[in-house]
Amino acid sequence: MVKSLTEAERQIALAISVAVAFCGLVLAAAGTQDTIEVHGWLILIFGAICAVVVIRDLWEPEPPKSRLESYYDDPIKAGIIASMAWAVVAMFVGVWVAALLAFPDLTFDSAWASFGRLRPVHTSGVIFGFGGNALIATSFHVVQRTSRARLPDQLSPWFVLVGYNLFCILAASGYLLGVTQSKEYAEAEWYADIWLVIVWVTYFVLYIRTLARRKEPHIYVANWYFMAFILVVAILHIINNLAVPVSLGHAKSYTIWSGVQDAMVQWWYGHNAVAFFLTAGFLGMLYYYLPIRAQRPIFSYRLSILSFWGITFFYMWAGSHHLHYTALPHWVQTLGMTFSVMLLVPSWASAGNALLTLNGAWHCVRDDATLRFMMVAAVFYGISTFEGSFLAIRPVNSLSHYTDWTVGHVHAGALGWVALITFGSFYTLVPSLWKREKMYSSALVEWHFWLALAGTLVYIFAMWNSGIIQGLMWRTYTEEGTLAYSFLDSLRAMYPYYIARTFGGLLFLIGAVIGSYNMWRTIRASPSSAAIEGDVPLNVTTAVVRG
Amino acid sequence: MAELFHRKLERSTIGFVLAIVAAASVGGLVEIAPLFTIDETVEKAPDMRLYTPLELAGRNIYVREGCYACHSQMIRTLQDEVERYGPYSLAVESKYDHPMLWGSKRTGPDLARIGGKYSDFWHVAHLTNPREVVPDSNMPAYSWLARTALRVDDLPLHLKALRAAGVPYTDAMIENASIDAYDQATPESSTSSGVADRYGKETQVRVFDDVATEVTEMDALVAYLQVLGRLTDAPYKNTAAPQKPPGPVK
């Protein structure tokens, strides 16, 4: 990877690595009595490893000028591998925490293995580790292809990818150490948050620079979504994580928001992390890889526009539906509910657009498990957005809130939509990136598909059942007008479903392991000789050579 | 015409970026900004107390262990919740909570009014091994809390950071934070009246974990749990009736 950097880029990379290592040293020195010391050393080691990697190839010859006649795909490959590694690890932790709810003594009497610490490792691991790496990798791929332009330099994509993974490592390891803000999906502490801002701004600038170099007059719809994802996640992340650190030597910080305002900011963030991380970015994937795989153009351009602006505008209002019947003022709850219901329109516009694109290609869906991954993803996107609008209605929420129904809903989206569209995109991308004719085994893709689908269904049916039972038990009255069930009664009723959901999650995990193995074997296979026709950036020079 | 305009917009990167920022900003601005300006958002409660340093340390343990993942601290305005947990939560009760811990999931019960419902002894036994006292519980055991000494030397820094974030801790509170934390859990110490002077006479000064020789994380966490819902009387004076849950409840 370092060999493809120019000499100047290698020097900057070395300087950045040393600077990162130095920051680690400062944190380690300042925080000798605090858990931040561990993170200081971790950052130091990370920076040092990067520096060594750069130094090893520092004096290699410059990459040839001919590199500019092809797309820059190395960081995309690394991103896919990182994404699948995070998937396996974080889904394993998911199965583990699911098991903990049914078998709570699996914690070995140690702090790091308790549910409360492992749960954010699972959530951040799948959302940011698996999902984030997948988004970074596919966005680099899509923006180059749809712009017919190479990434503007070799260093910044690596900085974004490697820096982002440093954030993920700091986040996940921090939770095990007890470093957390206890803000859902934004648990990482202040220094990791600041680092993510630096990485994210670089990502944004890189994306805009690539778009500025485009040879196509129009920006393709997939890029609209990736842009919305990058931009809005930056806004959300910065505002929600504003905090006062206890000191430079403390991992702990106190958020500047408090009470009801904090609740609103948190769920404005939380719900839009779903919207712009787990929806917009992955719709970017859908709008590129689904038509590519189906060999059909997107069904409707107008629907794409309607859906994009609907999602971008409506979602930002919807967060307050997480706070129905709470101390949040009623008018904010009502606004959140209203916009959540209206969200169904742009959501279904995209789901419908995807499915209608497949018209004329349904025989491919039948035969090709990769395309089937994406088709089912679109279906689950439709189902979970409908469920989301439904659960946001205040009286429905009175039953579903605080129960496993919410967890089931999240997983219908996260497993059925986010993970399946990612796997479908990866199965399209891996053979083409590594110049292989096809995946190592299409039978294993089939196995992965059916395991993933079965796992998702088992999981969400278990959670629907447990959630609705729980919600009903909590509000059931006896003839005498007293509450019929104690909290413990409702917990006892949950155990069978907690075991079922662990099993569903296990199926999904096995699928992901099989997928990783299949991709690994594909990468290790010998390359096919035939290059993909036209998969090059449109340069003046190449145009002349070809002309 | 609308489509024509969009085709133009699609050709401009900066234009598109600005349009996204504009479209995405409205919702947050309309819903969040007024929460700081409309007075009724947070009720008045003159008797609202601050967390003592020991309770704050306990709260930080609650945060550190991720208790919010399974326990809410927000009783909704629904009749069944009020009957199960107590008067519904008011915004003022979490006025000094950085962050709020309203939670989103009840794998275990709500804790907004847990303070005073059980004895210290029960809490210590329950945290040490939940299944000793609640055989069907699926809560993890937190037995190491009682073996871990509480770090109190940096508590002034914590109070200072909170003051910067808007909690009205006084200079005296910040200065005495470490000693106050120690004293609250060791009533025999000569200075233990100081903490009650600074934080109000309702402050619970006692040995929380049954071991008077050392202040442990168990002391802090139990002190925090025992003050939950007891920082102000406002919710008990609130007269608005809770709503009946919608739908069939028979």
Side-chain angles (χ1 to χ4, degrees):
Chain A
M1 74 195 232
V2 178
K3 282 181 191 147
S4 65
L5 269 58
T6 64
E7 266 174 36
E9 285 175 334
R10 286 175 206 167
Q11 284 158 11
I12 301 171
L14 184 61
I16 295 172
S17 307
V18 171
V20 168
F22 180 74
C23 291
L25 187 66
V26 170
L27 289 183
T32 46
Q33 288 184 57
D34 194 86
T35 36
I36 201 172
E37 188 191 6
V38 182
H39 268 168
W41 291 118
L42 193 79
I43 295 167
L44 175 67
I45 293 167
F46 193 93
I49 291 174
C50 290
V52 169
V53 169
V54 175
I55 288 171
R56 270 198 330 192
D57 291 331
L58 192 60
W59 295 280
E60 292 286 319
E62 280 250 332
K65 272 270 177 274
S66 63
R67 72 175 190 277
L68 300 175
E69 286 159 30
S70 61
Y71 293 121
Y72 191 45
D73 287 345
D74 293 359
I76 306 173
K77 294 177 178 175
I80 292 174
I81 294 169
S83 174
M84 289 308 290
W86 276 106
V88 171
V89 172
M91 287 175 194
F92 169 75
V93 178
V95 175
W96 186 359
V97 289
L100 276 179
L101 288 185
F103 311 101
D105 284 320
L106 289 174
T107 53
F108 331 115
D109 195 25
S110 47
W112 65 270
S114 62
F115 181 88
R117 292 201 188 184
L118 283 174
R119 190 245 183 193
V121 177
H122 165 60
T123 52
S124 288
V126 285
I127 298 172
F128 301 117
F130 167 54
N133 275 301
L135 287 169
I136 291 173
T138 53
S139 69
F140 286 168
H141 182 254
V142 170
V143 73
Q144 291 189 89
R145 264 64 181 186
T146 55
S147 303
R148 304 292 308 266
R150 184 184 157 95
L151 293 173
D153 69 298
Q154 285 80 222
L155 178 60
S156 38
W158 283 111
F159 176 75
V160 171
L161 190 72
V162 175
Y164 181 76
N165 278 282
L166 174 60
F167 166 79
C168 293
I169 291 169
L170 286 177
S173 61
Y175 308 149
L176 295 177
L177 294 163
V179 177
T180 167
Q181 300 191 83
S182 273
K183 283 169 88 77
E184 248 181 308
Y185 316 117
E187 290 94 344
E189 269 293 356
W190 60 275
Y191 48 97
D193 287 338
I194 292 173
W195 174 246
L196 185 61
V197 172
I198 298 170
V199 169
W200 214 255
V201 169
T202 313
Y203 185 20
F204 174 67
V205 172
L206 171 65
Y207 210 83
I208 296 300
R209 281 166 70 208
T210 314
L211 282 177
R213 294 157 57 93
R214 74 185 182 282
K215 303 293 184 298
E216 300 284 339
H218 291 269
I219 303 171
Y220 181 63
V221 50
N223 293 316
W224 310 348
Y225 282 104
F226 282 124
M227 271 199 289
F229 148 65
I230 298 169
L231 265 170
V232 181
V233 166
I235 297 172
L236 296 166
H237 173 76
I238 291 171
I239 293 181
N240 188 41
N241 284 303
L242 291 172
V244 187
V246 172
S247 81
L248 188 64
H250 280 82
K252 171 93 187 153
S253 69
Y254 291 97
T255 172
I256 67 158
W257 312 109
S258 76
V260 62
Q261 292 94 356
D262 183 37
M264 185 57 223
V265 171
Q266 161 60 27
W267 286 111
W268 168 80
Y269 166 89
H271 196 72
N272 288 299
V274 174
F276 289 89
F277 211 97
L278 297 178
T279 304
F282 291 89
L283 281 172
M285 269 187 217
L286 178 96
Y287 272 105
Y288 183 76
Y289 295 104
L290 182 118
I292 288 279
R293 188 75 187 186
Q295 295 284 306
R296 317 263 317 159
I298 283 290
F299 169 73
S300 163
Y301 167 69
R302 282 157 188 264
L303 266 184
S304 308
I305 295 175
L306 172 87
S307 172
F308 176 77
W309 291 107
I311 284 174
T312 306
F313 182 70
F314 287 170
Y315 250 115
M316 298 299 266
W317 297 75
S320 51
H321 71 225
H322 289 255
L323 300 164
H324 281 323
Y325 301 98
T326 67
L328 182 76
H330 205 258
W331 64 269
V332 195
Q333 301 177 20
T334 308
L335 270 179
M337 171 170 74
T338 313
F339 277 86
S340 303
V341 172
M342 294 198 294
L343 254 177
L344 189 60
V345 175
S347 301
W348 275 24
S350 266
N353 213 358
L355 293 174
L356 290 167
T357 300
L358 293 171
N359 265 349
W362 287 102
H363 58 287
C364 303
V365 176
R366 182 193 61 204
D367 298 336
D368 177 14
T370 302
L371 191 56
R372 217 178 309 128
F373 263 114
M374 295 195 251
M375 186 279 284
V376 175
V379 172
F380 270 107
Y381 178 60
I383 294 174
S384 54
T385 48
F386 172 78
E387 191 185 27
S389 295
F390 181 63
L391 293 178
I393 298 169
R394 196 184 275 115
V396 181
N397 199 267
S398 77
L399 178 83
S400 74
H401 193 54
Y402 294 134
T403 74
D404 285 318
W405 195 350
T406 313
V407 184
H409 166 60
V410 170
H411 282 82
L415 302 176
W417 153 238
V418 172
L420 293 194
I421 190 68
T422 305
F423 294 139
S425 303
F426 280 2
Y427 284 130
T428 310
L429 198 47
V430 165
S432 90
L433 272 185
W434 272 275
K435 312 272 187 283
R436 310 288 184 261
E437 217 167 286
K438 53 182 174 41
M439 288 298 297
Y440 161 73
S441 161
S442 44
L444 287 181
V445 182
E446 282 287 347
W447 271 96
H448 183 188
F449 173 80
W450 289 109
L451 281 167
L453 180 60
T456 306
L457 289 176
V458 170
Y459 192 106
I460 60 178
F461 271 96
M463 292 293 93
W464 279 338
N465 275 294
S466 67
I468 293 170
I469 291 173
Q470 214 172 16
L472 288 175
M473 284 178 89
W474 290 344
R475 60 160 63 169
T476 304
Y477 281 84
T478 59
E479 302 256 321
E480 292 79 40
T482 57
L483 290 168
Y485 300 103
S486 71
F487 189 90
L488 209 56
D489 292 329
S490 72
L491 175 62
R492 265 185 223 113
M494 294 304 104
Y495 278 103
Y497 302 108
Y498 285 164
I499 292 167
R501 78 105 87 92
T502 309
F503 177 68
L506 184 66
L507 292 182
F508 202 90
L509 169 67
I510 294 170
V513 171
I514 289 175
S516 305
Y517 171 76
N518 200 3
M519 287 179 205
W520 182 243
R521 289 301 297 257
T522 310
I523 295 169
R524 295 283 304 276
S526 54
S528 79
S529 48
I532 303 165
E533 187 65 31
D535 190 34
V536 287
L538 209 56
N539 291 338
V540 183
T541 46
T542 48
V544 172
V545 171
R546 287 156 153 249
Chain B
M1 283 311 284
E3 197 185 339
L4 196 67
F5 170 71
H6 201 272
R7 290 196 73 81
K8 240 187 245 167
L9 186 63
E10 275 162 36
R11 286 200 289 270
S12 158
T13 312
I14 299 305
F16 215 97
V17 165
L18 293 176
I20 290 173
V21 173
S25 302
V26 185
L29 282 174
V30 172
E31 291 188 350
I32 298 172
L35 297 180
F36 292 91
T37 56
I38 299 176
D39 280 344
E40 297 95 85
T41 303
V42 180
E43 307 82 359
K44 300 277 172 290
D47 65 335
M48 181 72 190
R49 287 184 291 145
L50 301 176
Y51 293 115
T52 66
L54 185 70
E55 290 153 9
L56 177 71
R59 188 170 203 274
N60 288 342
I61 294 165
Y62 187 101
V63 165
R64 183 186 76 194
E65 301 306 330
C67 305
Y68 74 100
C70 293
H71 294 283
S72 58
Q73 289 187 21
M74 173 47 62
I75 301 166
R76 296 183 293 172
T77 55
L78 295 164
Q79 193 189 343
D80 58 308
E81 299 217 351
V82 169
E83 285 178 25
R84 191 180 296 278
Y85 300 115
Y88 56 79
S89 302
L90 300 182
V92 67
E93 291 180 89
S94 45
K95 182 173 152 187
Y96 299 130
D97 286 6
H98 296 260
M100 58 86 208
L101 294 170
W102 293 9
S104 60
K105 178 71 175 53
R106 284 180 187 154
T107 303
D110 186 277
L111 300 180
R113 312 228 172 276
I114 197 73
K117 269 196 187 161
Y118 298 89
S119 66
D120 297 341
F121 182 80
W122 185 92
H123 277 297
V124 172
H126 182 249
L127 286 163
T128 305
N129 182 6
R131 278 156 293 286
E132 290 268 304
V133 275
V134 186
D136 289 322
S137 166
N138 66 349
M139 188 171 119
Y142 290 94
S143 49
W144 73 88
L145 292 177
R147 304 193 293 263
T148 313
L150 182 72
R151 185 179 172 191
V152 293
D153 66 295
D154 63 345
L155 280 169
L157 290 174
H158 284 262
L159 266 62
K160 226 186 231 170
L162 275 170
R163 182 159 77 176
V167 183
Y169 282 117
T170 62
D171 289 338
M173 289 169 169
I174 291 173
E175 203 178 306
N176 294 294
S178 303
I179 193 93
D180 280 351
Y182 184 82
D183 287 350
Q184 194 183 346
T186 50
E188 287 87 30
S189 62
S190 54
T191 51
S192 62
S193 57
V195 61
D197 291 344
R198 277 183 280 277
Y199 293 91
K201 58 182 186 318
E202 286 94 350
T203 305
Q204 310 178 55
V205 181
R206 58 177 185 262
V207 180
F208 292 94
D209 70 349
D210 220 24
V211 182
T213 48
E214 194 186 22
V215 179
T216 63
E217 296 197 336
M218 186 67 89
D219 278 309
L221 184 57
V222 174
Y224 171 62
L225 292 173
Q226 292 291 32
V227 84
L228 278 177
R230 299 171 75 182
L231 291 169
T232 168
D233 284 336
Y236 293 90
K237 292 177 189 145
N238 195 51
T239 47
Q243 303 168 47
K244 283 230 185 293
V249 288
K250 293 225 172 66

